[in-house]
Amino acid sequence: MDGLKEIAVIWSAETRRAVRSGRVLVLLGLYSMFSALVLLIVGAIANAIREQVTARLAEAGTGEEAAAAMAAEMKEGLLGALTSNDTALMEALSQVPIVVLVVFKVTLFFLPAYVALMGFDQISGEVGPRSIRYITVRARRSSLLMGKFLVQASLLVGLVLVIDLGVFIYARITNPDFTFAALGLNLLKFWMAAIVFSLAYIALTALCSALFRSPAVSLVFNFVLLFTFWLMDVVGQAYKDGVPGFIRFLSPSYYSGDLLHPQLSQFGVSGVAYAGFAMLFLGGAYAVLRARDL
């Protein structure tokens, strides 16, 4: 059996097993509850601010045009804060309700942890009891790794699409000026951005799962690495002009800001960076699998 067929067989079998286990439903429920909580909180805050501004303008005798102008100005200010005042990015996202962008930013921050919970035992769960030997005698270790990686990627693609669709439908209901054309286009953009972002972290989870025989240790080590990458990004951003600022380029989190950028050059840098991190982590996982006794 050649490599591609081995990967396809492993992917198919592992996907069916994951679906039958009910893990997908649990993960979907967890992701849905978190996203819904963020969505409701952000929506409630936005509605409260809007009502207060409208009431004060009404008391002052200001017309509807002035109220609309002030609302547009507030949206532009929030959009500038969320996009680091990038003019091109602000223009590209001008039609998207602020609630969608805030939910996207928040969920993107927690998505690596969600990925870790989804696949921390993809390899270590079979290395510990040595059931992985039944696979490795019939397929290459590289095929096993890629098959497991594609299973996690496939599940995440579907889960993220379901959640993003729900967020955008909510935004469409609560914002009548958010057209179906804008909804479809931006749904595709936000979904693709989340997938590109996640690929590196799926590969990182595969590496952590390959390093240890115990799934619990794999999960803890995965969270340690996630915190380390986050800390590198925070410190690097805080000291951009100094020597410590260079460490931000070593963190995958740093490149998330341009995933929605309309300019291909800006988006391309982020895409290439995440592809590079994914290849690096997958290469490390393969090196571990080749060297260790399964």
Side-chain angles (χ1 to χ4, degrees):
M1 186 184 298
D2 59 35
L4 291 178
K5 289 183 178 180
E6 290 175 355
I7 293 173
V9 170
I10 293 172
W11 171 82
S12 177
E14 291 294 322
T15 301
R16 288 197 300 269
R17 187 174 72 168
V19 172
R20 287 198 301 266
S21 70
R23 171 177 290 194
V24 175
L25 294 178
V26 173
L27 292 172
L28 178 60
L30 179 64
Y31 196 9
S32 300
M33 288 188 294
F34 175 75
S35 300
L37 179 63
V38 175
L39 187 64
L40 293 175
I41 292 175
V42 174
I45 293 174
N47 290 332
I49 294 175
R50 188 184 304 112
E51 291 175 359
Q52 289 182 2
V53 171
T54 303
R56 291 183 180 181
L57 290 175
E59 291 176 0
T62 307
E64 294 183 0
E65 293 183 0
M70 180 171 290
E73 184 178 350
M74 291 178 61
K75 180 179 179 180
E76 184 177 355
L78 289 172
L79 192 58
L82 293 171
T83 59
S84 302
N85 293 313
D86 188 310
T87 306
L89 187 55
M90 290 175 61
E91 183 178 355
L93 298 175
S94 60
Q95 294 181 326
V96 180
I98 289 295
V99 64
V100 173
L101 190 56
V102 173
V103 172
F104 176 77
K105 290 285 187 179
V106 174
T107 54
L108 211 65
F109 178 80
F110 290 99
L111 193 55
Y114 179 78
V115 170
L117 290 173
M118 183 176 68
F120 69 95
D121 61 343
Q122 58 182 287
I123 297 176
S124 58
E126 296 191 35
V127 171
R130 296 186 180 276
S131 59
I132 198 171
R133 290 185 173 184
Y134 295 102
I135 304 176
T136 54
V137 297
R138 296 175 175 85
R140 300 174 180 87
R141 299 189 182 195
S142 59
S143 300
L144 168 66
L145 175 63
M146 287 306 302
K148 296 278 191 179
F149 173 81
L150 291 177
V151 169
Q152 304 303 319
S154 301
L155 294 176
L156 191 67
V157 164
L159 293 176
V160 171
L161 179 59
V162 171
I163 299 304
D164 284 354
L165 183 60
V167 172
F168 273 84
I169 290 176
Y170 172 86
R172 175 67 181 86
I173 295 173
T174 55
N175 297 269
D177 56 336
F178 187 39
T179 65
F180 282 105
L183 184 152
L185 177 61
N186 286 285
L187 173 61
L188 180 61
K189 288 171 57 178
F190 277 68
W191 177 56
M192 290 298 298
I195 296 306
V196 171
F197 174 83
S198 302
L199 289 179
Y201 291 101
I202 296 174
L204 176 64
T205 300
L207 171 60
C208 295
S209 188
L211 282 170
F212 305 99
R213 293 185 178 276
S214 169
V217 177
S218 298
L219 181 61
V220 172
F221 185 71
N222 200 333
F223 278 120
V224 169
L225 288 183
L226 292 179
F227 177 76
T228 302
F229 283 135
W230 173 80
L231 191 62
M232 290 168 61
D233 184 31
V234 171
V235 173
Q237 295 283 4
Y239 298 94
K240 287 183 178 180
D241 298 329
V243 176
F246 288 100
I247 64 174
R248 70 186 189 276
F249 297 112
L250 302 177
S251 171
S253 305
Y254 170 72
Y255 301 94
S256 63
D258 289 333
L259 286 174
L260 295 171
H261 207 284
Q263 296 180 3
L264 184 59
S265 58
Q266 297 287 98
F267 171 79
V269 170
S270 294
V272 169
Y274 282 110
F277 279 114
M279 293 177 63
L280 177 64
F281 296 144
L282 283 176
Y286 177 60
V288 171
L289 286 178
R290 283 197 61 183
R292 78 179 310 163
D293 177 21
L294 300 178

